[in-house]
Amino acid sequence: MLERFLLQGPQDARVTVLLAHGAGAPMDSVSMTAAADALAGVGFRVVRFEFSYMAARRTGVRKPPPRAETLNPEYEAAIAALDAGGPLIIGGKSMGGRVASMVADGLYDRGKIAGLICLGYPFHPPGQPGKLRTGHLKRLKTPTLICQGTRDEFGTKDEVPGYDLSDRIEILWLEDGDHDLKPRKKISGFAAADHLATMAKAAKAWAERLPV
C-alpha cells in the first residue's frame, strides 16, 4: 500500500508525521512539499497522502471537495495502511488538519497516535467569522500543535485567542503569515523559508515533549 504515499526524511526516524492536503491542492503542491521538506529536515519521517477525490483529479475526474467529516474514514484507512510501527503524529494542511483533528481523540485513546499537528487550521471560512469550526476543539484530548499565520484569513491572531479551545492545544503564531504560513517580507522582515524553519523546529521541540 505504500505506493499511495509520498515518503521523505530518515526512514529510521523515531517519529513519523502523516500529513493530508488542503481542500484545493494536492499532496505534492508547493506549500505541502515545502512544509514536508522542513519537517523532514529536522529529523521526522514525513508521509503525505491524498484523499480519493483529489487522487481522482490526476486521472481527469474533477471532483469537488466533499464535506470534511465524510473524509474521516479515509484518514483512518491511511493510518492503517501506513502502519507506522512507532510514534505517529497525524495532521495536515488546512482541511487535512481539520479532518485529522476530528479523528484524533479516538486514535489517541487507543494508543494509535501520539499527537496532532495542523498547518493553517481553518477555524472558519474566509469572510465568515461566525461560522466557526471549533466545536470539537473545545474537548480535544490529543496533544496538538497548530501553526498559524497571524493574518490567516481562516483565523487571525486577533480572532483565535477569543475561541474556546482545549488546553491541549498549543498555537505557534508566525508573524504576517497567510494560510500557507507565507509572510510579506517587506512588511515582516521574514521569508517563507524562515517561517517554515521556525515551524519545523517548534514541531520538533513539541514532539520531544509528547508522552510516547
Side-chain angles (χ1 to χ4, degrees):
M1 294 294 289
L2 288 179
E3 66 273 7
R4 67 187 286 187
F5 298 111
L6 286 178
L7 292 81
Q8 63 200 103
Q11 295 308 297
D12 60 349
R14 175 173 171 268
V15 177
T16 297
V17 177
L18 178 63
L19 297 175
H21 55 84
M27 64 180 175
D28 55 356
S29 68
V30 172
S31 61
M32 282 287 290
T33 298
D37 285 345
L39 291 166
V42 296
F44 289 112
R45 177 188 183 224
V46 184
V47 184
R48 287 174 276 167
F49 78 98
E50 282 182 345
F51 296 115
S52 59
Y53 83 89
M54 184 62 72
R57 294 184 182 183
R58 296 183 183 274
T59 63
V61 181
R62 186 73 181 179
K63 293 186 175 182
R67 292 179 63 86
E69 58 269 22
T70 67
L71 297 172
N72 292 2
E74 287 194 43
Y75 206 117
E76 295 200 32
I79 293 169
L82 177 62
D83 191 18
L88 175 65
I89 294 170
I90 63 171
K93 171 79 178 72
S94 192
M95 184 193 72
R98 182 184 173 204
V99 175
S101 72
M102 290 189 284
V103 301
D105 275 359
L107 295 161
Y108 184 70
D109 286 344
R110 302 198 305 274
K112 299 292 186 181
I113 65 170
L116 167 70
I117 184 168
C118 301
L119 307 176
Y121 187 85
F123 289 98
H124 61 72
Q128 301 180 67
K131 292 187 176 181
L132 292 179
R133 298 160 170 167
T134 58
H136 66 295
L137 300 183
K138 298 177 184 179
R139 58 185 181 275
L140 196 69
K141 296 181 288 184
T142 307
T144 299
L145 177 64
I146 295 177
C147 302
Q148 196 85 355
T150 61
R151 63 182 178 95
D152 189 333
E153 61 182 353
F154 290 79
T156 68
K157 192 176 183 181
D158 291 333
E159 298 169 331
V160 176
Y163 300 157
D164 184 9
L165 302 178
S166 165
D167 61 7
R168 305 307 301 276
I169 297 174
E170 297 180 31
I171 300 181
L172 171 69
W173 288 106
L174 296 164
E175 184 61 34
D176 197 57
D178 63 10
H179 196 49
D180 289 331
L181 309 182
K182 292 180 180 178
R184 298 165 294 186
K185 190 169 185 179
K186 288 184 179 179
I187 293 175
S188 69
F190 295 105
D194 297 327
H195 278 357
L196 289 175
T198 298
M199 176 275 293
K201 291 175 183 176
K204 181 72 170 178
W206 167 78
E208 288 175 350
R209 301 197 307 269
L210 295 178
V212 297

